[in-house]
Amino acid sequence: KKWKINKTSKLIKLIRFEKGGTSYSLSENQVMAILELRLQKLTTFGINEIETEEVEHPYGWTHRPLLEHFTGLSCPPCMSGAHPDATQLWEEEGYLEGNPWNYIEFHELNGGGEDDLMTDESRDRMKYYQPGVSGTPSLDADGGYVEMGGSHSANAPSASYEEMKSALKDSGERDQIKMVDLKVASIYDGQRFSVRVDIEYVENNEAFDPTSMELPDDTLNGRLHIFMVEDHVTAWSTVNDAYVTMHNVFREYALEGKDFELQPGESLNEIYADWEVPTTIFRDDVEEPIRVPINPVNIVPVAVVYDLDDTSSSRGDGSGNEDGGEGNDGSPRSLNSATPEGTAYDEQAEPPSIVLKDPTSEGGKVKVNAVIEDDGGELTAALVIYREASEDANASYNWTYFHA
């Protein structure tokens, strides 16, 4: 079904909603704490059926590079330098139209200390880049194409704002890569995210020369990761002696390491992964209750395709990861990264606007009104996210959701 309808104005009235039924009763405190009405569109899982024209990268780059940041809330050099620098850069560019690059923050306990966001999976991701990445703070652009900060290499640039910006530009402008179109979409049903990824190995990348990387041909031996990250996460920093709000914190994988092979012009479509929002985590191989509860409204899937045959680095001075990865002969470089927002930009899909009206109560029931201007899309579901109101701003909450 094509994504073409006339502009409509829809009024959703959420009056009652009971578990297992079609209505739900909210307390006034819950209604006053409603945070967002999220829409899910028919096009979410119909991204191959949208008729669009080709859209260029916002910066004119060949792809969306990925910046992986390894940090710790109890790490003094992290919190005094790399962490605020990465935060500043993301806040300046990460929310620009077109999603020019992607960012993931992995929390570690490097050197001891405490960090409630550290998990075994986040630590293992840092170890994957070792011995290239030997400490925090450290960052890898495009899978180690440029490595910054805590590296054993004397030539690694510092983990600073300017170096991060330069590394992203160098990575994004690479043309000796196998060009991949990457699309990602997701739906949240109140318990789990269903994520779909489509990969196309572009046929007409005339700039790519396999011999430049000593490859026999242009076969793509790829690997797909789907990282589930949470934006706007608040946790305690022992260094700052205060709560710190962070961006795109890695929570878990929806899919870890799906390997595939494609020839130019071939596609791998409808790759699905389900991710249930966890209430427990593993730290040092011990399962325990999650220390900082996840707010699913801030969860974003980040899909990344890596080229297992590519360990190149443009600078040629040891600034790239040359001895990480599974065989310690260099970590594979990223070919592209994607989020639902970036995919919507590429597909020229305009999200509907939402205006929440003041809630009212009548006869012990609460009515929530929302006006949705839907220009060019079809609304399939509305999701209300709420928590009990509290005077304690630092309290942890169990978020509650329901569909309309």
Side-chain angles (χ1 to χ4, degrees):
K1 184 174 182 178
K2 301 300 182 185
W3 185 40
K4 294 179 180 178
I5 68 169
N6 294 326
K7 183 173 182 179
T8 61
S9 177
K10 303 175 183 179
L11 177 65
I12 293 181
K13 296 181 178 180
L14 311 178
I15 301 174
R16 263 185 95 250
F17 196 98
E18 294 177 345
K19 292 182 178 178
T22 58
S23 59
Y24 193 90
S25 178
L26 300 176
S27 70
E28 292 202 34
N29 277 348
Q30 289 170 337
V31 172
M32 295 308 295
I34 287 175
L35 298 185
E36 182 172 340
L37 182 64
R38 170 166 287 190
L39 304 182
Q40 297 169 351
K41 307 172 69 109
L42 276 174
T43 53
T44 307
F45 279 164
I47 52 182
N48 279 341
E49 298 185 5
I50 306 173
E51 295 181 338
T52 63
E53 297 178 1
E54 185 175 352
V55 177
E56 291 188 0
H57 185 281
Y59 294 169
W61 293 348
T62 59
H63 66 290
R64 288 184 175 90
L66 174 71
L67 186 64
E68 296 177 73
H69 180 197
F70 302 97
T71 185
L73 291 171
S74 60
C75 164
C78 300
M79 300 310 295
S80 63
H83 199 101
D85 281 3
T87 297
Q88 178 186 346
L89 184 57
W90 176 255
E91 290 178 349
E92 289 176 354
E93 300 187 10
Y95 303 112
L96 295 177
E97 183 182 18
N99 182 209
W101 50 276
N102 287 303
Y103 172 71
I104 306 176
E105 193 170 287
F106 298 87
H107 282 251
E108 318 295 340
L109 294 181
N110 202 43
E114 191 55 61
D115 190 323
D116 287 340
L117 296 170
M118 173 267 177
T119 66
D120 286 354
E121 283 190 344
S122 64
R123 180 177 57 191
D124 290 345
R125 186 60 185 171
M126 184 178 78
K127 287 183 177 180
Y128 184 75
Y129 287 105
Q130 289 179 348
V133 171
S134 57
T136 54
S138 59
L139 300 99
D140 280 87
D142 262 2
Y145 186 71
V146 181
E147 202 162 60
M148 295 154 278
S151 169
H152 75 294
S153 171
N155 293 320
S158 63
S160 66
Y161 173 93
E162 291 299 333
E163 291 291 355
M164 295 176 204
K165 196 174 181 71
S166 175
L168 284 166
K169 184 175 184 294
D170 287 351
S171 299
E173 291 179 343
R174 295 160 59 203
D175 60 3
Q176 287 302 307
I177 62 172
K178 301 162 188 173
M179 299 290 288
V180 168
D181 282 344
L182 187 60
K183 301 176 183 178
V184 60
S186 69
I187 289 179
Y188 178 63
D189 67 4
Q191 288 184 311
R192 64 183 56 82
F193 285 83
S194 294
V195 183
R196 169 177 166 170
V197 173
D198 294 296
I199 303 169
E200 179 187 1
Y201 181 11
V202 178
E203 187 171 9
N204 59 349
N205 179 21
E206 298 177 356
F208 178 67
D209 178 9
T211 61
S212 68
M213 293 190 293
E214 300 180 353
L215 298 177
D217 56 34
D218 52 4
T219 298
L220 170 56
N221 295 299
R223 174 170 294 168
L224 171 67
H225 287 313
I226 304 176
F227 303 92
M228 303 303 288
V229 306
E230 182 182 1
D231 203 5
H232 308 296
V233 181
T234 299
W236 182 262
S237 168
T238 56
V239 175
N240 292 23
D241 194 28
Y243 283 95
V244 178
T245 299
M246 292 147 289
H247 298 293
N248 298 6
V249 174
F250 171 74
R251 289 302 205 164
E252 275 186 345
Y253 294 97
L255 187 153
E256 181 181 8
K258 176 181 176 61
D259 292 348
F260 61 90
E261 180 180 306
L262 291 176
Q263 299 299 323
E266 292 183 342
S267 298
L268 184 61
N269 295 324
E270 298 185 25
I271 305 167
Y272 290 99
D274 286 341
W275 182 71
E276 186 168 346
V277 178
T279 57
T280 62
I281 56 173
F282 280 90
R283 293 167 62 100
D284 298 322
D285 296 322
V286 176
E287 187 174 14
E288 63 175 59
I290 195 166
R291 299 188 180 191
V292 180
I294 293 173
N295 178 5
V297 73
N298 291 327
I299 287 290
V300 176
V302 181
V304 186
V305 169
Y306 297 86
D307 183 351
L308 298 179
D309 295 322
D310 185 1
T311 58
S312 61
S313 181
S314 65
R315 301 182 179 185
D317 58 1
S319 62
N321 185 291
E322 298 178 343
D323 46 17
E326 295 168 355
N328 292 112
D329 54 1
S331 54
R333 308 314 191 214
S334 169
L335 295 179
N336 208 352
S337 64
T339 63
E341 182 178 357
T343 299
Y345 173 84
D346 294 342
E347 302 296 324
Q348 303 177 59
E350 294 294 333
S353 64
I354 309 167
V355 178
L356 283 176
K357 303 295 185 178
D358 291 336
T360 59
S361 60
E362 181 178 346
K365 299 178 182 178
V366 173
K367 180 186 295 183
V368 179
N369 294 328
V371 176
I372 302 167
E373 294 289 343
D374 192 6
D375 186 6
E378 291 189 45
L379 175 67
T380 59
L383 182 66
V384 174
I385 298 94
Y386 66 90
R387 60 173 170 77
E388 293 284 353
S390 172
E391 295 180 357
D392 184 2
N394 294 322
S396 294
Y397 300 96
N398 290 321
W399 298 91
T400 307
Y401 310 83
F402 69 88
H403 284 77

